[in-house]
C-alpha cells in the first residue's frame, strides 16, 4: 500500500486553512468578551497591531412631525488594535469607552493603512527562484494520480483565497475539489468550508441584530448602553432612570428627561406633580423620544410654593397595568423651590454735595461796619450702612471784622475805644474738615466734625485791602486754627427732624445752634434755625434767627435761599442772607 508523506509547506498550508478569517465591506464590532473587542477588519484591510479605529454608534430618533425614524452614526471614541489576523482583529478600549461598546457598532480605520507580506509565501516564491505568480495547473482528464502535484494545487488555491470574503473562499475550495477529487487534503478543506459557513452565519446574525429595530433585538443593546451611562445594573429595580433636580426656581417650567433602561417595560407612563398647598397630583404624560428616552415638562404654573412633590408610573405594552417606578403616591420625591433672590437696586442718594455761602451782618451797616463776616463751605457726603451712616469731607472759609459791641456802638465809624486805640480786628480763617455721622438708632444720629486750618488776624484799621494776604504783613498774626463741631439729630434727614449742635474754633469763636426741619410740601423743604455765637471774634455773644426755604423739583438737585436776623442787643442788629445748592446721586 502506497502512503503519502506531507512536505513542510503542505503542513503550513493546512495550519493556515484551519484559521478562519472574514472580511466585509461594512466593518462592525462582531463580539465583546471582557476587555477584548473583536473587529471585522484585518491585515488585508491594512490593519495591524497599534492601528487606531474610530468607534461609531448608531442613534435612531423619530421625527415628531413626520413620524419617520431617522438614523445616524456618531463617534464614541478610539479603539487600539492589539493583535490581528488576515480578516479579524482584537482591539482594546479605555475603561469608560469599553462600557459603551456594543456588538453591531461600526468601526472606521483612522490611522494610515499598512501593507503586510506573508513570509511563508515569500519563502515559497524564493525557493522557486522567481517572484512571480504561479500559473494555474489544471488537472488533465484521466491523468494518473502520480502525475498530479496535489500540494501545488492546494497551495495555489490557498493563495487565491487570501484577502477574499468567506463566500469567495468557499467557491475557490469547492472548485479545487471538483478539479482534484482525489486530493489527500480533502478532510482539511471540508473542515475549512464548514468553518467558513459557520462564520458567515454568525456574521449575518450579528449584523442583522445590530441593524434590527425589533424589540427583542433592540432592547438588550439599549439596556447595555443605559447601564454603561448610569452605572446601574441592566436588571435594576426601575426600568427608567432620572438625574432629578433637587432645586428649582419658582414660576419657571422644568424639563425632565428619563433614560429608559428596559424599553419593553416602559413603553408608556405618567408623571404626577403636586405643588405646595394643592389637594391632589397633576398628571403629565411622558413623551417617547427616540429609542431610549421619555420626556415631560412641568409647566411654570405648577412650580410654586416651598416644594414640588412628584412620582412616575410606567408600564410596557397595553394592557399591562401602570405601576410606580420612581417614587409613589404615598412616598413622592421632592424638588425644593428656591426663593428668588434679586440684587438690590443701586440706592439713590448715596452721594451728596452741599455748597452754601452766608453773609452775616450784626450792626446793620453791611460792608461799611465793624461787625460783619461771610462764611462759605462746600462738602461731599457719602452714605454707608449702619452704624457709620455717612462721612463728609469739606472745605470752608470765614472772613470778617469784629470787636467789642460797646466800642462799635459808641464809635460806629472808627471803632476807637476811650483810650484812642483801634479796638476791632479783621480775621481770615481757611479750613478743612471731616465729619462722621454715626447712627445710634434709625432716628438718632450723632455727627462729629473736627476741623483745622490757617487763621490770620489783623489788628490794624483796614486801610489797605490787601493786608495780610500779600507781602504787606506788618502787624499780622498767623496761627493754626483748630476746631470741633458736634451735632445730634432726631428723626430722618429727609423727613421732619430736629438738630442740636455746638461748635468751637480757636481764635474765631463759639457757635450753639438748634435747627428744626420739616416738609410742608414734598417739594418745599423748610428749616428754621436759632444760633447763639460770638463769631467772627471772641467778644460778645449774639443771637441769629435763620429761615431756609428750598425747592425739590428735581430728584438730583435742589437750591435753597436763607434770610436771617441777628442781634447782639436791641440796638446792635442786622439782616442778612445766603444761598445753598444741593446735589444728590
Amino acid at each position: 500500500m502506497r502512503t503519502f508523506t506531507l512536505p513542510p509547506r503542505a503542513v503550513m498550508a493546512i495550519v493556515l486553512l484551519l484559521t478562519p478569517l472574514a472580511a466585509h465591506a461594512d466593518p462592525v464590532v462582531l463580539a465583546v468578551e471582557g476587555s477584548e473587542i473583536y473587529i471585522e477588519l484585518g491585515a488585508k484591510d491594512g490593519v495591524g497591531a497599534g492601528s487606531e479605529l474610530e468607534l461609531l454608534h448608531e442613534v435612531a430618533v423619530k421625527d415628531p412631525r413626520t413620524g419617520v425614524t431617522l438614523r445616524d452614526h456618531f463617534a464614541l471614541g478610539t479603539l487600539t488594535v492589539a493583535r490581528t489576523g488576515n480578516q479579524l482583529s482584537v482591539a482594546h478600549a479605555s475603561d469608560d469607552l469599553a462600557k459603551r461598546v456594543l456588538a453591531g457598532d461600526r468601526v472606521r480605520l483612522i490611522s494610515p493603512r499598512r501593507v503586510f507580506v506573508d513570509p511563508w509565501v515569500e519563502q515559497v516564491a524564493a525557493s522557486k527562484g522567481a517572484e512571480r505568480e504561479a500559473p494555474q495547473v489544471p488537472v488533465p482528464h484521466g491523468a494518473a494520480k502520480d502525475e498530479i502535484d496535489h500540494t501545488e494545487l492546494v497551495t495555489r488555491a490557498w493563495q487565491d483565497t487570501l484577502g477574499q470574503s468567506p463566500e469567495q473562499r468557499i467557491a475557490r475550495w469547492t472548485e479545487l475539489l471538483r478539479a482534484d477529487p482525489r486530493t489527500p487534503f480533502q478532510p482539511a478543506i471540508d473542515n475549512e468550508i464548514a468553518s467558513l459557513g459557520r462564520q458567515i452565519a454568525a456574521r449575518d446574525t450579528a449584523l442583522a441584530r445590530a441593524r434590527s429595530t425589533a424589540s427583542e433585538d433592540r432592547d438588550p443593546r439599549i439596556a447595555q448602553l443605559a447601564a454603561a451611562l448610569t452605572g446601574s445594573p441592566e436588571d435594576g429595580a426601575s426600568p427608567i432612570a432620572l438625574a432629578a433636580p433637587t432645586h428649582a426656581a419658582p414660576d419657571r417650567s422644568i424639563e425632565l428627561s428619563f433614560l429608559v433602561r428596559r424599553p419593553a417595560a416602559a413603553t408608556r407612563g405618567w408623571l404626577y406633580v403636586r405643588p405646595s398647598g394643592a389637594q391632589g397630583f397633576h398628571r403629565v404624560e411622558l413623551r417617547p423620544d427616540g429609542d431610549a428616552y421619555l420626556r415631560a415638562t412641568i409647566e411654570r404654573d405648577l412650580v410654586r410654593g416651598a416644594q414640588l412633590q412628584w412620582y412616575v408610573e410606567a408600564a410596557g405594552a397595553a394592557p399591562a397595568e401602570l405601576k410606580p417606578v420612581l417614587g409613589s403616591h404615598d412616598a413622592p420625591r421632592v424638588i425644593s423651590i428656591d426663593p428668588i433672590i434679586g440684587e438690590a437696586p443701586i440706592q439713590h442718594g448715596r452721594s451728596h454735595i452741599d455748597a452754601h455761602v452766608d453773609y452775616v451782618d450784626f450792626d446793620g451797616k453791611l460792608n461799611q461796619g465793624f461787625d460783619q463776616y461771610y462764611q462759605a463751605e462746600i462738602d461731599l457726603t457719602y452714605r454707608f450702612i449702619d452704624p457709620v451712616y455717612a462721612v463728609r469731607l469739606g472745605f470752608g472759609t470765614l472772613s470778617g471784622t469784629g470787636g467789642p459791641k460797646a466800642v462799635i456802638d459808641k464809635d460806629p465809624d472808627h471803632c476807637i475805644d476811650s483810650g484812642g486805640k483801634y479796638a476791632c480786628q479783621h480775621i481770615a480763617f481757611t479750613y478743612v474738615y471731616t465729619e462722621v455721622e454715626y447712627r445710634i438708632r434709625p432716628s438718632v444720629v450723632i455727627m462729629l466734625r473736627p476741623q483745622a486750618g490757617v487763621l490770620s488776624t489783623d489788628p490794624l484799621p483796614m486801610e489797605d485791602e490787601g493786608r495780610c494776604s500779600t507781602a504787606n504783613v506788618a502787624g499780622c498774626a498767623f496761627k493754626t486754627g483748630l476746631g470741633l463741631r458736634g451735632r445730634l439729630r432726631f428723626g430722618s434727614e429727609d423727613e421732619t427732624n430736629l438738630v442740636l449742635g455746638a461748635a468751637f474754633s480757636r481764635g474765631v469763636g463759639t457757635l450753639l445752634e438748634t435747627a428744626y426741619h420739616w416738609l410742608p410740601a414734598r417739594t418745599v423743604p423748610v428749616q428754621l434755625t436759632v444760633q447763639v455765637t460770638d463769631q467772627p471774634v471772641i467778644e460778645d455773644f449774639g443771637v441769629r434767627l435763620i429761615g431756609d426755604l428750598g425747592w425739590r423739583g428735581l430728584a438730583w438737585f435742589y437750591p435753597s435761599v436763607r434770610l436771617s436776623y441777628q442781634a447782639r442787643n436791641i440796638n446792635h442788629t442786622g439782616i442778612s442772607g445766603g444761598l445753598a445748592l444741593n446735589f444728590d446721586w
Side-chain angles (χ1 to χ4, degrees), residues 357-544:
V357 59
D358 284 296
Y359 177 73
V360 182
D361 183 359
F362 272 95
D363 63 4
K365 286 195 169 186
L366 300 179
N367 200 36
Q368 302 302 318
F370 291 93
D371 198 357
Q372 299 88 18
Y373 67 91
Y374 73 87
Q375 185 176 17
E377 288 186 348
I378 181 170
D379 59 42
L380 169 66
T381 301
Y382 188 81
R383 297 177 176 87
F384 295 93
I385 58 177
D386 293 339
V388 176
Y389 179 69
V391 173
R392 293 180 182 86
L393 302 176
F395 167 83
T397 180
L398 186 150
S399 178
T401 303
K405 69 177 177 60
V407 175
I408 295 173
D409 292 342
K410 184 176 180 180
D411 187 5
D413 296 324
H414 303 95
C415 195
I416 302 297
D417 63 11
S418 58
K421 182 180 177 181
Y422 181 71
C424 295
Q425 68 176 340
H426 179 79
I427 69 162
F429 181 38
T430 301
Y431 56 93
V432 295
Y433 58 88
T434 299
E435 184 172 65
V436 177
E437 191 169 328
Y438 183 83
R439 175 175 284 184
I440 301 176
R441 293 185 178 181
S443 59
V444 181
V445 174
I446 294 178
M447 293 169 279
L448 295 176
R449 187 179 93 171
Q451 61 186 31
V454 177
L455 174 67
S456 65
T457 59
D458 183 4
L460 300 179
M462 290 294 293
E463 297 177 354
D464 185 356
E465 294 292 339
R467 283 181 54 79
C468 299
S469 62
T470 62
N472 184 9
V473 295
C476 296
F478 300 92
K479 57 185 176 181
T480 301
L482 300 176
L484 179 66
R485 181 183 184 185
R487 291 184 293 170
L488 180 64
R489 184 177 70 230
F490 301 93
S492 172
E493 62 176 334
D494 295 328
E495 303 294 338
T496 300
N497 61 73
L498 177 66
V499 177
L500 304 177
F504 172 77
S505 297
R506 191 180 73 169
V508 178
T510 302
L511 174 68
L512 305 175
E513 64 178 338
T514 300
Y516 178 70
H517 175 276
W518 88 100
L519 296 172
R522 295 302 301 176
T523 59
V524 183
V526 175
Q527 181 170 292
L528 297 179
T529 306
V530 178
Q531 293 183 347
V532 177
T533 181
D534 59 353
Q535 295 175 348
V537 296
I538 304 176
E539 289 289 348
D540 302 297
F541 280 93
V543 177
R544 296 187 63 202

Side-chain angles (χ1 to χ4, degrees), residues 43-222:
K44 69 179 183 59
D45 304 298
V47 175
S51 295
E52 292 186 342
L53 307 174
E54 187 174 50
L55 180 66
L56 304 173
H57 182 68
E58 184 180 44
V59 175
V61 178
K62 182 179 292 185
D63 190 327
R65 300 165 300 179
T66 63
V68 177
T69 299
L70 305 177
R71 299 182 183 276
D72 206 341
H73 291 81
F74 294 90
L76 295 183
T78 302
L79 309 178
T80 302
V81 175
R83 60 185 184 275
T84 184
N86 191 51
Q87 293 181 329
L88 296 178
S89 298
V90 177
H92 293 158
S94 63
D95 293 340
D96 291 339
L97 182 59
K99 299 177 182 178
R100 306 179 65 182
V101 180
L102 301 176
D105 285 346
R106 298 187 183 182
V107 293
R108 178 170 56 199
L109 178 64
I110 58 175
S111 58
R113 293 178 62 87
R114 299 157 66 178
V115 178
F116 299 92
V117 178
D118 191 303
W120 188 82
V121 175
E122 293 296 318
Q123 291 179 9
V124 171
S127 66
K128 295 183 178 181
E131 295 184 80
R132 59 182 179 84
E133 183 180 356
Q136 293 289 335
V137 181
V139 180
H141 179 70
K145 180 171 61 175
D146 296 340
E147 299 175 3
I148 300 176
D149 190 342
H150 301 287
T151 301
E152 180 70 19
L153 292 178
V154 79
T155 300
R156 290 178 182 175
W158 173 75
Q159 291 175 338
D160 292 342
T161 63
L162 294 178
Q164 302 298 313
S165 66
E167 291 83 358
Q168 293 172 322
R169 297 180 67 188
I170 290 175
R172 181 65 182 89
W173 290 121
T174 302
E175 179 185 351
L176 174 63
L177 291 178
R178 286 198 303 266
D180 187 12
R182 297 183 180 181
T183 177
F185 304 112
Q186 182 171 353
I189 295 174
D190 290 339
N191 288 338
E192 171 69 0
I193 293 175
S195 175
L196 290 172
R198 292 191 299 269
Q199 193 174 173
I200 291 173
R203 180 201 65 192
D204 292 344
T205 300
L207 291 176
R209 286 197 171 186
R211 297 174 178 137
S212 174
T213 59
S215 298
E216 59 273 12
D217 295 329
R218 181 192 62 183
D219 286 6
R221 290 186 284 117
I222 293 178

